[in-house]
Amino acid sequence: MDSSKKVLFPDQILSSRRNILTRFGLGIAASFLLLTLLSFTSSSFNVPFVSPLLQGLKSSNLNTSSSVKQVNEKPEVVNLTDKVPDVKVPSFDAEHRSGTTVDAGSKNTTLSEEGKVSNFDSGQRSGEVVKNSSLPEEGKVSVADDKNTLEVNATTSVGNSSSLASDLGGRFVPANTSKDNGSVVEDRSRGSYEDCDIYDGSWVRADDETMPYYPSGSCPYIDRDFNCHANGRPDDAYAKWRWQPNGCDIPRLNGTDFLDKLRGKKLVFVGDSINRNMWESLVCILRHSLKDKKRVYEISGRREFKKKGFYAFRFEDYNCTVDFVGSPFFVRESSFKDVNGTTLDTLRLDMMDKTTSMYRDADILIFNTGHWWTHDKTKLGENYYQEGNVVYPRLKVLEAYKRALITWAKWVDKNIDRSQTHVVFRGYSVTHFRGGPWNSGGQCHKETEPIFNTRYLAKYPSKMKALEYILRDTMKTPVIYMNISRLTDFRKDGHPSIYRMVYRTEKEKREAVSHQDCSHWCLPGVPDTWNQLLYVSLLKAGLASKW
């Protein structure tokens, strides 16, 4: 056969194939380019068949590697050669959020996305992130807005833009609701709690058979300060509200099921007295589920738990303990002599406190820190915060808080076995002082119902935005973030107020009005719901069979 014909025939075929392949390749490239562009647009852009893909692309970005070096400590001191990163947390402004203008008179607008919590279990946890936040990379918290407290003037408005994470806790009104002067009228279509934001919802009346989890006066392990019923509070409606997520129903905390999953394990609450509030609540719930309550006891025989230290309740029939470790800052309270020989009390932002040995072997750890950062010495920050041999003449409380959390995060990454221990961080519990701070006349007396109008809620705490950023961007360890700040903000009725003790005279009772407790919570009460959400959060995280 003529060689020229052999070449000619394939060339003709290949030429047409090239045209076909070129057009096909261009089509593929154009489609890929379109999808790429769509993935960078606002998440409020909802195309039915494209949205799931975009959500999948977004969720795949959660498991990013940590940009923070491991701590080289002896054993608890952060290496000061590691530069503390400047944690940038966005200041969400009510009038300008991702290019969206929000009417200042109507902040209860909607976010469209439902946030999802990644599942993880004991067999596959490394690198997986479980948390309810996804913060933008840029932006800073306005320290001026903080006003030295956690609960006041740190702005997170509820805007229409869903390019910010819907799980931040600043979202109240779901897309399928109507609003009337800030009040929420809900039209819920129920989904699975596994796929909904269980921290986004409202409080509804519970029937007497379901709430509270344990009757008032039935648990002997409630600190007197939290036992509002025993201290003479005349109303009991504060114990008869249940939390209803907007997108789903959640199971009640099943005490015997919880204990069965804790069999042979150690659960530890670490933090301040608000975590002690939650710890006592869980002990009472679990104890009430058992027939033989004598098989539950604090191992040292103590029934008062206000002093800092270590307390452990043993559930004998389940060979497990539910413990509390007082560590209000996580980092170490210390002292320092200045050039004049004067001894200064300090807080070592680069060093964990000495309690870590009490909980590093736990199977479940529930951390919190917040309220002690509002006290006079910490919020003033003068000659108080220390790193190495340096005591700062003045350091803003928000910056100190971030540095302490980074020290904690590095310690967790270095010392906690992710295949054995599940780490939880409970967010800040909002206070309700009216007319002044906690130590100068602030009140919440005679509050008998939750807040129903979202316009009266406090602004979202800036320190919780800093926490969320650190959990997402500086930690290797997966953390279950219980974002209860907004949830508790509704409950102005749930505090002990003047009912912290029994007053012997009317004069004592009148004097108590100027020293009210609007930070802690009555038991039974709001912390029982936190423990229900802890239970559900653990179920959501895929730990049901592996606690």
Side-chain angles (χ1 to χ4, degrees), residues 99-116:
T100 302
T101 301
V102 181
D103 180 9
S106 177
K107 294 183 181 179
N108 304 309
T109 47
T110 61
L111 291 176
S112 60
E113 281 191 349
E114 288 294 338
K116 295 185 179 180

Side-chain angles (χ1 to χ4, degrees), residues 28 85 136 197 203 209 235 238 285 298 348 468 473:
I28 291 295
D197 179 2
W203 292 92
E209 295 180 0
D235 63 305
Y238 61 87
I285 292 172
E298 205 281 320
R348 288 290 303 265
E468 290 160 0
D473 283 8

Side-chain angles (χ1 to χ4, degrees), residues 202-207 210-213 236-244 448-450 452 491 493 525-526 528-529 532:
S202 58
W203 292 92
V204 298
R205 276 287 188 187
D207 58 66
T210 60
M211 295 296 285
Y213 277 99
D236 63 355
Y238 61 87
K240 296 180 179 178
W241 294 90
R242 65 178 178 84
W243 179 248
Q244 176 63 64
T448 59
E449 287 189 331
F452 296 110
R491 295 303 308 274
D493 60 316
V526 172
D528 302 332
T529 296
Q532 179 189 16

